[in-house]
């Protein structure tokens, strides 16, 4: 009985830490979102539509390899968290050293691939005005350099996440965001070509962020010191895990970056710019999702590795609901007030109908995509990811050739989102089936009754009320404020009443009392 009480107290303390990390990351998201909105506005104003489209198209070619970055990051974090959950502190230094070796190999491979095939693609296959080809090649090299810096920081950043020190991550990422804002402000006063200046400044900024992670990790964490590792099993495990995670990450990146390339090929830089702007809305919501996922992922993996299945189920339920309800509260008013938001953000002269429609559709895609995160975390904790990624991501990556077919048939540019949303929705159903096979404790019936149905009810009620408000309030400013405030209040009330179970409601009450009234 005392052991059970001790376990419950430990779980409660862990839950409080997750809640605190979520609040810290949520605050980070708010600050970064506001900063990024002004950053994009100033970048678009400083570069102009054509150069902005070129930058995103070229960056899209390079960042098709961000799947490799995310693969190593996720794999490193998983092995760190698993070892911590097992209480195997000696293993941490080996994991760090192996990840350093793999990072250096990955960096070399990427440099070779992009200095050959990447250069050919930019100069031969992309639609770029002839007078901007020199600047485009500069941007390609500088984007590649920035990307290399982001790869090198992975083993150090992974330690921060595994230790659940989200304050460190928040501090560095806030610096990252503010530095980009300053760079955007300086574009118009650059003494050289504005596009080239922007690329140089972004590369320097990426280098500074890398240095921050290295210095902090080596100072605070004993495992962040290189040692020679002769254990081939650890290399094999990390490479195997990374290999199949790579396929999943390739699909995720391919859905966005492949879309950028296809839009550039079929419609040119102007539509690329519209997609790039709407992609910033996706990034803003995705930042919110990542704030929640980052808070839950280490704890879920540790719960699995320590065989604490009851707590893992609680975290799975809580992470699903946290993602769904926060996204609902924000996404619905974003859809209804997309024109007003873009006019405020970019200015009415810069806003186009394509930007508005793309942003609305991107929001729907983001909500659908975000709900896969808790499922994927459990699969990664189990470690049997080959079947999962091979089956699921085969459906998601199919959006790229499907979009190409649509465009070949003469469909308009927004059909890219029909492909994205459709394939992503079907893939989610497949994820649930595989989760049930690999984690028998998961109940599809309970998932539908306690999560899907309440979320659907809240979305429908919120959407109907938001639509009613837009038709009955004529003043644009009052309408804008009312829709956002009403969406937040309705989601919170309905989530508390029908969206969470009794135990979750009890824990929420305790957390609110201790946070607000202590």
């Amino acid at each position: 009985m005392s052991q059970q009480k001790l376990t419950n107290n430990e779980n409660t303390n862990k839950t409080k830490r997750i809640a605190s990390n979520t609040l810290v990351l949520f605050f980070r998201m708010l600050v970064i979102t506001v900063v990024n909105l002004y950053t994009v506005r100033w970048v678009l104003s400083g570069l102009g539509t054509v150069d902005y489209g070129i930058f995103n198209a070229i960056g899209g070619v390079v960042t098709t390899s961000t799947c490799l970055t995310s693969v190593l990051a996720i794999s490193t974090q998983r092995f760190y968290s698993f070892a911590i959950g097992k209480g195997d502190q000696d293993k941490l230094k080996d994991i760090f050293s192996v990840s350093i070796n793999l990072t250096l190999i990955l960096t070399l491979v990427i440099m070779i691939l992009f200095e050959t095939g990447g250069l050919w693609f930019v100069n031969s296959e992309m639609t770029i005005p002839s007078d901007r080809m020199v600047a485009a090649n500069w941007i390609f090299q500088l984007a590649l350099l920035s990307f290399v810096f982001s790869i090198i920081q992975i083993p150090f950043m992974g330690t921060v996440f595994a230790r659940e020190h989200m304050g460190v991550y928040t501090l560095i990422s806030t610096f990252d965001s503010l530095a980009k804002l300053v760079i955007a402000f300086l574009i118009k006063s650059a003494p050289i070509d504005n596009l080239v200046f922007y690329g140089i400044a972004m590369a320097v900024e990426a280098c500074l962020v890398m240095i921050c992670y290295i210095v902090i990790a080596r100072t605070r964490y004993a495992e962040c010191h290189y040692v020679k590792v002769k254990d081939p099993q650890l290399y094999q495990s990390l490479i195997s895990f990374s290999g199949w995670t790579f396929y999943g990450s390739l699909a995720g990146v391919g859905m966005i970056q492949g879309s950028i390339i296809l839009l550039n090929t079929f419609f040119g830089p102007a539509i690329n710019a519209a997609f790039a702007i709407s992609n910033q809305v996706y990034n803003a919501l995705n930042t919110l999702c990542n704030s929640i996922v980052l808070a839950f992922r280490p704890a879920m993996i540790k719960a699995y590795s320590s065989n604490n299945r009851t707590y893992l189920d609680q975290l799975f339920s809580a992470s699903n609901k946290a993602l769904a309800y926060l996204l609902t509260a924000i996404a619905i008013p974003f859809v209804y007030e997309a024109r007003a938001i873009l006019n405020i953000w970019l200015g009415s002269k810069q806003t186009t109908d394509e930007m508005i429609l793309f942003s609305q559709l991107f929001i729907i895609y983001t909500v659908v995509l975000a709900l896969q995160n808790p499922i994927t975390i459990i699969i990664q904790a189990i470690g049997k990811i080959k079947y999962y990624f091979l089956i699921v991501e085969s459906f998601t990556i199919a959006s790229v050739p499907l979009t190409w077919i649509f465009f070949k048939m003469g469909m308009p540019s927004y059909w890219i989102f029909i492909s994205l949303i459709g394939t992503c929705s079907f893939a989610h159903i497949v994820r649930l089936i595989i989760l049930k096979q690999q984690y028998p404790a998961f109940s599809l019936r309970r998932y539908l009754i306690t999560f899907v149905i309440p979320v659907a009810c809240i979305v429908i009620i919120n959407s109907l009320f938001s639509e009613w408000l837009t038709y009955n309030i004529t003043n644009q400013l009052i309408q804008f404020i009312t829709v956002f405030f009403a969406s937040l209040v309705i989601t919170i009330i309905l989530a508390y009443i029908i969206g969470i179970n009794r135990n979750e409601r009890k824990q929420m009450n305790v957390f609110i009392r201790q946070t607000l009234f202590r």
Side-chain angles (χ1 to χ4, degrees), residues 14 17 21 72-89 91-93 95-96 99 155 157-166 223 234 238 241 293-307 312 315 377-378 380-382:
K14 293 175 183 176
R17 183 168 66 248
N21 283 336
L72 194 54
I74 291 172
S75 301
T76 302
Q77 292 169 35
R78 187 266 178 187
F79 280 85
Y80 277 143
S81 298
F82 200 90
I84 293 173
K86 287 286 188 182
D88 191 354
Q89 298 297 321
K91 196 75 171 178
L92 291 173
K93 188 171 290 188
I95 294 171
F96 170 78
S99 65
M157 186 170 62
T159 309
V160 174
F161 289 148
R163 293 293 185 179
E164 300 184 61
H165 293 161
M166 299 308 172
E223 62 267 22
L234 183 56
L238 195 55
F241 190 93
V293 172
L294 286 174
F296 279 93
R297 177 184 283 127
M300 291 177 69
I301 295 174
K302 292 173 187 176
Y304 180 84
S305 66
S306 61
N307 204 32
L312 177 59
L315 292 176
I377 292 173
I378 292 184
Q380 289 172 337
I382 295 171

Side-chain angles (χ1 to χ4, degrees), residues 29-94:
M29 182 275 300
L30 292 177
V31 173
I32 290 179
T33 298
V34 173
V35 172
N36 285 347
L37 291 176
Y38 282 98
T39 300
V40 172
R41 179 172 183 167
W42 288 349
V43 170
L44 180 60
S45 175
L47 295 181
T49 301
V50 174
D51 274 4
Y52 186 72
I54 291 172
F55 178 81
N56 281 276
I58 298 295
V61 173
V62 175
T63 53
T64 51
S65 291
T66 54
C67 55
L68 298 175
T69 307
S70 61
V71 162
L72 194 54
I74 291 172
S75 301
T76 302
Q77 292 169 35
R78 187 266 178 187
F79 280 85
Y80 277 143
S81 298
F82 200 90
I84 293 173
K86 287 286 188 182
D88 191 354
Q89 298 297 321
D90 294 335
K91 196 75 171 178
L92 291 173
K93 188 171 290 188
D94 288 344

Side-chain angles (χ1 to χ4, degrees), residues 61 113-124 137 140-141:
V61 173
L113 288 176
F114 278 99
E115 290 295 354
T116 53
L119 274 177
W120 166 82
F121 186 82
V122 168
N123 288 280
S124 302
N137 277 276
F140 177 82
Q141 297 295 337

Side-chain angles (χ1 to χ4, degrees), residues 337 340 344 473-484:
E337 298 296 325
I344 294 172
I473 300 177
T474 55
N475 184 284
Q476 187 175 19
L477 178 60
I478 296 176
Q479 179 191 106
F480 177 81
I481 296 173
T482 304
V483 169
F484 267 88

Side-chain angles (χ1 to χ4, degrees), residues 299-348:
M300 291 177 69
I301 295 174
K302 292 173 187 176
Y304 180 84
S305 66
S306 61
N307 204 32
N308 193 346
R309 298 293 186 267
T310 300
Y311 187 51
L312 177 59
D313 291 340
Q314 293 174 2
L315 292 176
F316 178 73
S317 175
S319 59
N320 273 306
K321 293 173 182 179
L323 280 168
Y325 299 144
L326 281 175
L327 283 176
T328 296
I330 295 174
I332 289 177
F334 253 88
V335 171
Y336 281 96
E337 298 296 325
R339 182 177 294 276
I341 292 170
L342 291 179
N343 285 340
I344 294 172
W345 174 24
L346 303 174
S348 57

Side-chain angles (χ1 to χ4, degrees), residues 121 125-127 260-268 272:
F121 186 82
E125 299 298 316
M126 297 197 72
T127 304
I260 293 174
I261 294 172
L262 286 173
L263 286 172
N264 177 266
T265 302
F266 283 91
F267 299 98
N272 255 130

Side-chain angles (χ1 to χ4, degrees), residues 141-156:
Q141 297 295 337
L142 293 165
L144 182 58
L145 184 60
S146 299
F147 184 56
V148 167
F149 291 144
S150 70
I151 296 175
I152 295 174
Q153 74 190 27
I154 289 172
F156 304 91

